[in-house]
């Protein structure tokens, strides 16, 4: 399956196994811009798969109300760049609903799906990675898959989790990421990082698309420099797996964190600060970050080559 097919499969399973599940968003009824909901309206009907007005704030508010009323709400935000009109609803309503009611009420059966990250030509408004904006909000879970098999299991976990979840989907991987995916119903744990490649000299940490860039860097560093890299996919941004990362850095003594979002205030800063606090005596060098530029997103087709080269350069210098 491609990544988009695995997402469609997960949505199909969720709708089949839970009669309260409802999918809605801009253009989802005819399959969506990226075709992730193809065939679902025909299978489950217009009352469970339907289009909304072009109003992200309204989509989020409706999703929260639907969840509180007892349904399993699966809302699509067509591009993560346009999730900001819904920011207040997600951060001040969905994330705080359980806490402010003393656990009397919640909107746990609530998932926001949004395309995420760069494709190389999306420019300012179709390339952003806004995960760090939401990571500052207790009460949310934030997940970013790297592959079709991970996407299916993680999406089903989000849909069934009793906390509101944001599921960011790397759009460049929709058709380029292909692998064998189990057809059965399965879930993968949220908040558990994956060690994709074991190593001994430096820990490389990323999520989503950037994990594949780091894997290329690891191969290059081994071939050109004889450097053994341990590559870790964080999988979820909130909660994040501190134990796995701290153990890896304690072993290697060096760490590079990389993400597409801008350098300043990116979630890599939180990861780097936590590593400095917990692993200081194990570090052989300061934690390094390789991130996007502190500018609006550029029209730059070789973005990923650029970041791969930058990471390799830092490795060679450190």
């Amino acid at each position: 399956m491609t990544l988009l097919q695995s997402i469609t499969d997960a949505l199909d399973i969720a709708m089949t196994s839970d009669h309260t599940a409802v999918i809605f968003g801009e253009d989802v009824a005819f399959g969506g811009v990226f075709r992730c909901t193809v065939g679902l309206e025909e299978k489950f009907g217009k009352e469970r798969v339907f289009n909304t007005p072009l109003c992200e704030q309204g989509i989020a508010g409706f999703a929260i109300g639907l969840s509180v009323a007892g349904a399993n709400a699966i809302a699509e935000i067509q591009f993560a760049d346009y999730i900001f009109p819904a920011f207040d609803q997600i951060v001040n309503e969905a994330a705080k609903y359980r806490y402010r009611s003393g656990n009397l009420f919640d909107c746990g059966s609530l998932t926001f799906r949004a395309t995420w990250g760069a494709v190389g030509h999306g420019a300012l408004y179709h390339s952003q990675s806004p995960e760090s904006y939401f990571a500052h909000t207790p009460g949310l879970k934030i997940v970013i898959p790297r592959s079709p098999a991970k996407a299916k299991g993680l999406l089903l976990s989000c849909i069934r989790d009793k906390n509101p979840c944001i599921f960011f989907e790397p759009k460049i991987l929709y058709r380029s990421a292909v692998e064998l995916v189990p057809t059965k119903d399965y879930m993968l744990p949220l908040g558990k990082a994956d060690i994709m490649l074991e190593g001994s000299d430096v820990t490389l940490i990323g999520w989503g698309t950037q994990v594949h860039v780091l894997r290329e860097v690891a191969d290059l560093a081994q071939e050109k420099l004889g450097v053994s890299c341990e590559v870790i996919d964080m999988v979820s941004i909130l909660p994040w797996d501190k134990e796995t990362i701290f153990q890896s850095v304690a072993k290697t003594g060096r760490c590079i964190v990389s993400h597409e979002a801008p350098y300043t205030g990116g979630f890599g800063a939180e990861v780097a600060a936590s590593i400095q606090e917990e692993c200081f005596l194990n570090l052989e060098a300061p934690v390094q970050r390789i991130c996007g530029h502190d500018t609006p997103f550029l029209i730059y087709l070789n973005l990923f080559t650029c970041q791969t080269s930058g990471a390799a350069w830092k490795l060679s210098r450190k």
Side-chain angles (χ1 to χ4, degrees):
M1 292 184 189
T2 61
L3 191 138
L4 75 85
Q5 289 171 331
S6 73
I7 289 170
T8 306
D9 192 32
L11 293 172
D12 192 332
I13 290 172
M15 296 285 282
T16 301
S17 60
D18 182 357
H19 72 278
T20 72
V22 180
I23 297 172
F24 51 93
E26 297 161 13
D27 303 319
V28 300
F30 77 85
V33 169
F34 293 97
R35 316 307 291 154
C36 290
T37 53
V38 167
L40 297 182
E41 184 200 50
E42 291 83 354
K43 183 172 183 178
F44 297 103
K46 295 181 178 180
E47 292 185 350
R48 296 184 65 195
V49 182
F50 52 87
N51 294 331
T52 64
L54 202 161
C55 177
E56 286 78 12
Q57 183 180 19
I59 293 171
F62 177 76
I64 293 167
L66 201 61
S67 173
V68 171
N72 195 331
I74 307 169
E76 178 179 305
I77 305 295
Q78 197 169 95
F79 286 90
D81 311 61
Y82 299 122
I83 201 170
F84 299 114
F87 192 83
D88 178 63
Q89 288 291 324
I90 296 172
V91 168
N92 279 330
E93 301 298 336
K96 296 175 175 61
Y97 211 96
R98 186 193 305 275
Y99 180 81
R100 73 178 187 178
S101 70
N103 203 31
L104 292 175
F105 310 103
D106 69 82
C107 54
S109 298
L110 172 61
T111 305
F112 294 99
R113 294 177 46 245
T115 63
W116 169 96
V119 292
H121 56 268
L124 285 71
Y125 298 119
H126 298 83
S127 304
Q128 296 178 69
S129 304
E131 64 272 12
S132 63
Y133 289 96
F134 295 97
H136 196 62
T137 307
L140 296 177
K141 293 189 176 182
I142 306 167
V143 180
I144 309 173
R146 71 171 186 268
S147 68
K150 297 293 291 186
K152 178 178 176 178
L154 291 169
L155 180 54
L156 284 169
S157 294
C158 285
I159 291 170
R160 293 163 179 169
D161 197 271
K162 294 307 177 184
N163 298 281
C165 297
I166 302 176
F167 188 81
F168 286 123
E169 301 167 7
K171 66 177 79 71
I172 198 171
L173 300 182
Y174 271 144
R175 291 173 174 79
S176 63
V178 183
E179 65 180 354
L180 294 175
V181 178
T183 57
K184 65 179 182 180
D185 183 341
Y186 67 94
M187 298 164 61
L188 294 175
L190 307 181
K192 179 62 178 174
D194 287 340
I195 299 177
M196 296 179 61
L197 179 68
E198 293 191 358
S200 58
D201 295 325
V202 60
T203 300
L204 307 182
I205 302 170
W207 50 88
T209 310
Q210 200 65 11
V211 170
H212 301 285
V213 176
L214 293 177
R215 187 59 190 266
E216 292 177 15
V217 170
D219 293 340
L220 186 63
Q222 183 67 59
E223 178 185 351
K224 301 294 185 182
L225 306 171
V227 174
S228 174
C229 299
E230 183 147 295
V231 179
I232 296 180
D233 175 12
M234 284 186 59
V235 178
S236 60
I237 301 301
L238 198 66
W240 62 285
D241 187 355
K242 297 181 180 180
E243 182 180 359
T244 295
I245 288 173
F246 293 164
Q247 288 178 353
S248 175
V249 175
K251 176 179 69 173
T252 64
R254 295 176 176 84
C255 180
I256 294 176
V257 187
S258 184
H259 54 67
E260 291 184 21
Y263 185 91
T264 301
F267 196 72
E270 172 66 24
V271 176
S274 297
I275 292 171
Q276 299 271 126
E277 290 175 358
E278 298 296 327
C279 305
F280 182 76
L281 296 179
N282 301 104
L283 289 171
E284 301 290 341
V287 178
Q288 300 292 308
R289 285 179 289 153
I290 299 174
C291 311
H293 299 293
D294 282 338
T295 67
F297 200 89
L298 307 174
I299 303 175
Y300 186 39
L301 293 174
N302 292 319
L303 169 71
F304 304 108
T305 302
C306 175
Q307 291 196 0
T308 300
S309 300
W313 180 83
K314 279 187 177 289
L315 279 171
S316 66
R317 292 294 299 272
K318 299 298 180 181

